[in-house]
Amino acid sequence: MLDITTQAVANTAPLHLKDASGNLLYYKGQPVRIHLYGPASPQYARIEERQTQRALKRAQDNDGKPSAMSSDQRRETTAEDYAAVTASFENFAYPPAGKASGEDLYRATYSDPALGFIVNQITRFLADWGNFKPASATA
């Protein structure tokens, strides 16, 4: 019988970033990456909770009717959520954030509309549990 635990996913995985044209990014020969907490992690569970709470609050504030966020609100909440599931940046900086670090740095980076292609990559990456399968695991 298959020991199903051999299929367990890791809590984090690196996303090798691509530029807006789809080319993998490198700095001095090293991959430019974002290390992300995945769907099996407590960090990811917390953003799912926040997303549900925000949706319920919007419905309450609108007499129970669904309401969409503005594009600015959507960008900011996405930046907040993705900052919460970012473990680290590797081989890149975001100078407009100044001396910010951790979640403040991540949020500033993800809030920049000119870097929206990064947010799109994170969205796709987090949606695929296979990205979090440990490299040493066997099928």
Side-chain angles (χ1 to χ4, degrees):
M1 277 206 199
L2 173 68
D3 174 358
I4 199 65
T5 62
T6 63
Q7 301 302 304
V9 296
N11 274 343
T12 62
L15 164 62
H16 190 161
L17 288 179
K18 296 177 182 177
D19 64 18
S21 297
N23 302 304
L24 289 171
L25 292 171
Y26 293 90
Y27 177 72
K28 294 187 177 180
Q30 297 299 312
V32 172
R33 302 191 295 191
I34 298 175
H35 294 264
L36 296 163
Y37 291 102
S41 70
Q43 293 84 350
Y44 192 91
R46 283 195 291 278
I47 69 164
E48 286 183 320
E49 290 171 11
R50 285 200 311 237
Q51 290 169 343
T52 300
Q53 290 168 352
R54 283 194 296 257
L56 291 172
K57 181 166 180 8
R58 274 195 318 277
Q60 283 177 334
D61 292 348
N62 198 30
D63 296 324
K65 297 177 184 139
S67 63
M69 285 189 261
S70 71
S71 61
D72 288 341
Q73 288 173 318
R74 188 171 43 255
R75 182 174 26 268
E76 290 307 312
T77 59
T78 299
E80 179 182 331
D81 290 345
Y82 287 177
V85 294
T86 299
S88 63
F89 284 172
E90 182 181 349
N91 295 319
F92 75 101
Y94 182 69
K99 295 189 185 292
S101 63
E103 283 195 35
D104 293 334
L105 169 63
Y106 310 146
R107 188 178 310 104
T109 305
Y110 303 148
S111 294
D112 187 335
L115 296 175
F117 62 93
I118 293 174
V119 172
N120 288 348
Q121 290 174 62
I122 293 171
T123 300
R124 287 189 305 272
F125 190 83
L126 290 174
D128 185 351
W129 282 65
N131 290 324
F132 295 88
K133 186 160 175 79
S136 62
T138 57

